[in-house]
Amino acid sequence: MIQEIFMPALSSTMTEGKIVSWEKAPGDRVEKGETVVIVESDKADMDVESFYEGFLGVILVPAGQAAPVGSAIAYIAETEAEIAEAKQRAQATPASSNGSTSAPKAPVLVTAGSNLTSSNLTKSDRLIASPRAKRLAKDHNLDLSKISGTGPNGRITAEDVESSVQPTAPAQVAPQVITPVAQVIAAPKAAPAQIPSASEQVQPLTTLQNAVIRNMNASLAVPTFQVSYRITTTALDALYKQLKPKGVTMSTLLAKAVALTLQKHPLLNASFSDRGIVHKPGINVAIAVAMDDGGLITPVLPQADQTDIYSLSRQWKDLVERARAKQLQPEEYNSGTFTISNLGMFGVEQFTAILPPGTGAILAVGGSHPQVVASSDGSFSIKTQMQVNITCDHRVIYGAQAAKFLHDLAHLIESKPESLTL
């Protein structure tokens, strides 16, 4: 029997994958559960394992090339005698423009270590659920097969599981908002195709860059607003100076401060869905990290409000190292409930961040600089301050709620920074 290896959907936003390398050559023996190919997803390289044992008959999409999710990328032969049949089958099937020889199948969402070479999967194998959804279902003893998925191709998302555990209050469903005219963005007209001149060089977009573009395009459909706030960082800078030799970073101090403030403002940790406002069971702070080859990724510090600052810093160091090596698992970069983007280390004083899909707010952090500050009595002094701008989904969060969050965040950083170490 000849089995097809399909290009897996390693994330909910993935539409195509790039073959990083084949771990087996045509004719090699393949054991069940053995890694056959490494695929570049949106933001990480993933191992794809064999569902059956046999022999790698023929490779349809070589290393370095991309193929749509669900399309065949190789054939597995059950016996050595069938290798020739696999080659004949590949030659007899017309090849598409990307090297795939068959029409794309319905994509199946998998994670690293998933078995994905069979075209006749069982019912449990066809169940599409994100890793976080599976973990939540296990924590709450829920049967995933009884939950309706609202993601692509019926994929069960973490929000689907959360809605089964925690129903949304009727008063919070589909809040009526008045969107400023400035926030209504018309779909841009398609620009005419431009042919580069002989002196121009065109660098193809990476898989990661394409993923970022899709997310940003999706963000344009969300009605957002921004609120700015200046925070005096004198006490925070002094604390950082004490903790830096112990491996604590400013990024983790900010993540901890945001997480503790979110405990008082759970709506800033929520997101919008067609069913209503989704309240997240935990505070998972994502921090934007620039990648060396272009694009960005948002590693997640799970349960940041409940993790001590030293453990948080060790986790962050590990996440950044593996992110830049493209070794993060999907749940380590797509499970954030609140995002921080910090450009202060580059000397940026202020900027506005674009809201990531599936979240309610993102905080843009500028650098700390000495500022002339006027007191209520008319006197002037020099204080070190940073400006933060929060971008919010207006379907979930209103201006007053964002302002209160920033006020409490500033109070914690200015007056109680030592609480970050408790």
Side-chain angles (χ1 to χ4, degrees), residues 107-155:
V108 178
L109 186 69
V110 298
T111 57
S114 295
N115 301 319
L116 194 71
T117 61
S118 175
S119 58
N120 55 347
L121 304 178
T122 64
K123 180 179 180 180
S124 60
D125 293 323
R126 290 195 300 267
L127 185 65
I128 307 173
S130 69
R132 188 159 170 258
K134 293 178 180 179
R135 185 170 64 251
L136 288 173
K138 182 178 180 181
D139 293 342
H140 295 284
N141 295 319
L142 295 177
D143 185 354
L144 281 173
S145 64
K146 296 181 180 179
I147 298 176
S148 299
T150 61
N153 301 291
R155 172 177 176 257

Side-chain angles (χ1 to χ4, degrees), residues 394-413:
H394 211 322
R395 299 169 300 181
V396 180
I397 304 162
Y398 297 101
Q401 295 160 334
K404 290 176 182 177
F405 168 81
L406 292 179
H407 176 270
D408 288 348
L409 176 65
H411 179 69
L412 187 155
I413 290 175

Side-chain angles (χ1 to χ4, degrees), residues 260-270 400-409:
L260 292 177
T261 308
L262 286 172
Q263 289 180 335
K264 301 179 181 179
H265 301 273
L267 199 60
L268 274 292
N269 197 53
Q401 295 160 334
K404 290 176 182 177
F405 168 81
L406 292 179
H407 176 270
D408 288 348
L409 176 65

